[in-house]
Amino acid sequence: MGSPASPSVVTAGERGPARACDRLIIALDTSSWEQALQWVDCLPQVLWWKVGLELFTAVGSPILRALKERGKRIFLDLKLHDIPNTVGRATQVAVGYGVDLLTIHASGGSAMLRAAAEAAQSSPCRLLAVTLLTSLSPEQVQQELCIGKDPANYALHLAQLAQAQGFTGLVCSPQEVARLRQIFGSDVLLVTPGIRLSPSFTGDDPTEDDQQRIWTPARALQAGADYLVVGRPVTAAPDPVIAFQQLCDAVAH
Ligand code: C5P
């Protein structure tokens, strides 16, 4: 296992870093270069940052360089999905930036997944397969996408497809994490968004104040997650430094 301070890779079998707070990946969900770096610089204790479609589309690869110059580890969440040749080439470019984690949609099929895996095989970057977006309701999955399986089993099917092509990491919802850990064992890296300390943290819909829907950091880690992705509970908090510290306290216990 790499030391959290080192630029070491998230190697196959790594179950997460030694420092509990380094299990937190903070999402830079903004289109503003200045805002992104303000978050990074006001939270020097954060090791892992997620760059997603919004920020990458707005400012491009220089943000990755800026993060690397600050010694950060990078989750590039591009959720690639295209023909195999295009995804393979895009993966090659993305891993060339020195990112640590990169997402690929599992629903692109085995040839696409294999093209990505081959493009990344000599790189320290670990690819994460995205199965089914949790934003899709069971009705949408069935009626709009015409998928006969229920969402949980369809997500599992896609996870197995990705694993067969050499993927050793998955993005999954907290609801799925325990089952995936049980099925895939300790070698798979499970990265879980959808984390809240409490609904009041973000001003989320109070109807979500429900133990079934609120996954605290401790609960997600206990279920088997390796890394937790957190966005607005930190970046939209009145004081992101305090919010991050509260999350660190929560993952440490
Ligand atoms: O909701 P929050 O602001 O904590 O989300 C942080 C990140 O997690 C976002 O960048 C989003 O892309 C990702 N996310 C996800 N699936 C979810 C919820 C959030 O991939 N169900």
Side-chain angles (χ1 to χ4, degrees):
M1 186 187 297
S3 104
S6 78
S8 61
V9 299
V10 187
T11 52
E14 181 178 331
R15 286 297 313 277
R19 260 191 351 160
C21 66
D22 290 339
R23 289 175 177 272
L24 296 165
I25 303 175
I26 309 302
L28 290 169
D29 287 334
T30 173
S31 57
S32 159
W33 169 274
E34 291 75 20
Q35 175 66 86
L37 286 186
Q38 191 198 319
W39 285 331
V40 172
D41 291 335
C42 90
L43 289 163
Q45 59 277 56
V46 176
L47 177 63
W48 278 93
W49 292 96
K50 181 170 91 88
V51 174
L53 282 174
E54 181 186 3
L55 185 57
F56 197 74
T57 303
V59 304
S61 63
I63 194 67
L64 306 177
R65 211 173 313 132
L67 288 166
K68 286 195 75 74
E69 282 167 6
R70 288 162 171 78
K72 302 304 178 186
R73 294 179 81 173
I74 304 171
F75 173 10
L76 184 57
D77 188 18
L78 297 184
K79 296 188 174 74
L80 298 176
H81 188 168
D82 207 312
I83 61 170
N85 183 58
T86 301
V87 167
R89 284 167 175 263
T91 300
Q92 201 168 17
V93 175
V95 302
Y97 292 132
V99 301
D100 298 280
L101 297 170
L102 172 70
T103 44
I104 315 282
H105 264 295
S107 55
S110 60
M112 192 204 78
L113 291 163
R114 196 162 50 249
E118 284 171 5
Q121 69 185 359
S122 58
S123 128
C125 178
R126 191 151 173 173
L127 301 185
L128 302 177
V130 177
T131 57
L132 190 64
L133 293 175
T134 53
S135 51
L136 290 166
S137 69
E139 293 72 32
Q140 281 179 299
V141 171
Q142 194 180 43
Q143 289 160 24
E144 295 178 13
L145 306 185
C146 292
I147 289 164
K149 281 184 186 293
D150 69 82
N153 284 322
Y154 182 60
L156 175 61
H157 166 75
L158 290 174
Q160 287 168 327
L161 185 75
Q163 192 197 33
Q165 302 309 323
F167 278 60
T168 56
L170 297 167
V171 177
C172 63
S173 81
Q175 281 84 356
E176 292 164 2
V177 76
R179 184 177 184 218
L180 293 175
R181 177 62 69 209
Q182 191 185 19
I183 292 168
F184 290 106
S186 59
D187 282 350
V188 75
L189 192 83
L190 298 179
V191 177
T192 305
I195 301 299
R196 295 290 180 269
L197 274 175
S198 79
S200 60
F201 238 61
T202 62
D204 283 351
D205 184 341
T207 57
E208 296 201 350
D209 186 10
D210 167 345
Q211 286 307 313
Q212 291 310 306
R213 300 198 59 189
I214 301 301
W215 279 72
T216 62
R219 190 175 173 209
L221 291 176
Q222 207 169 27
D226 294 305
Y227 287 88
L228 309 177
V229 178
V230 184
R232 290 160 296 171
V234 171
T235 56
D239 186 333
V241 175
I242 292 175
F244 182 71
Q245 190 52 52
Q246 286 175 326
L247 281 160
C248 287
D249 293 345
V251 294
H253 296 110

